[in-house]
Amino acid sequence: MSSNGRTAAVISVGDGRNVAFFGYRADHARPGEDVATQLGRVYGGLGWVIPEALAGLQRADSVYFDTISQVVAPAWSKGRVALPGDAAWCVTLFAGYGSSLAVGGADRLGTELAARPGDIPAALAAWEAAIRPEAERKQKLGRRVKGVYAPANPLVLWLSLLPLRLASLPPVRRYMTRRFIKG
């Protein structure tokens, strides 16, 4: 469900348990406000299963609450010290590719270190030169698509939900079932 810069999803994880995901734009945030109060304030007026999910916060075994941020570092290493993976190029969940970049970056780092065993700074410079262009493309993708996640503009929200609306039409649903479920 999305509305006015807020998105909520509830997903069954089996064994009668559900997980709720809430995402909202920074203009809804109030630094220092506790999680339950903030989520209640931001989502309290929405229907669907949101009231039950918010009530479940009181009984939840764990709650993870954080901001989605992206820092673009001018360099990923200094001397013999390097920032690997998300510490260097966090692309955020909006872009995806974090695991792929981490594995590819680690592999390339190993390759560059093996090629220059006596010169770690040169190996780190070669590693960054090889990985940075792709990492920057993915970072840019994350910045470009973040507005689709919790759109504040009603037209953007409507357009982002259009594929789901089309998929619910009987002819489209039959086609999708034949094409992707029944093979």
Side-chain angles (χ1 to χ4, degrees):
M1 161 181 255
S2 290
S3 172
N4 191 27
R6 304 167 294 176
T7 295
V10 178
I11 299 167
S12 171
V13 293
D15 296 331
R17 297 177 305 135
N18 296 309
V19 176
F21 295 93
F22 297 96
Y24 51 94
R25 302 176 72 80
D27 54 336
H28 290 296
R30 289 190 185 150
E33 190 174 40
D34 71 87
V35 176
T37 302
Q38 190 158 157
L39 291 176
R41 178 180 50 76
V42 173
Y43 291 93
L46 296 180
W48 188 49
V49 297
I50 303 305
E52 292 91 339
L54 292 173
L57 280 172
Q58 308 307 319
R59 300 183 309 276
D61 293 334
S62 64
V63 174
Y64 177 77
F65 187 77
D66 204 351
T67 60
I68 299 172
S69 304
Q70 184 183 78
V71 175
V72 178
W76 300 341
S77 66
K78 184 173 182 178
R80 299 170 50 96
V81 178
L83 297 172
D86 277 351
W89 57 69
C90 182
V91 295
T92 77
L93 62 87
F94 297 126
Y97 301 99
S99 297
S100 299
L101 280 171
V103 170
D107 180 63
R108 186 59 179 253
L109 178 57
T111 299
E112 299 299 343
L113 288 169
R116 297 165 184 79
D119 193 353
I120 291 175
L124 293 175
W127 163 70
E128 184 170 340
I131 299 298
R132 187 174 275 277
E134 184 62 19
E136 286 180 345
R137 277 192 290 279
K138 299 307 185 214
Q139 285 178 320
K140 187 176 180 181
L141 173 65
R143 290 188 298 272
R144 196 170 60 240
V145 303
K146 70 178 177 169
V148 175
Y149 181 74
N153 181 312
L155 177 61
V156 173
L157 174 60
W158 186 86
L159 289 171
S160 70
L161 296 175
L162 184 59
L164 291 173
R165 289 187 178 115
L166 290 173
S168 70
L169 296 174
V172 176
R173 190 173 55 242
R174 283 191 300 272
Y175 169 77
M176 300 292 275
T177 301
R178 275 194 321 271
R179 175 83 168 101
F180 298 107
I181 297 174
K182 293 182 180 174

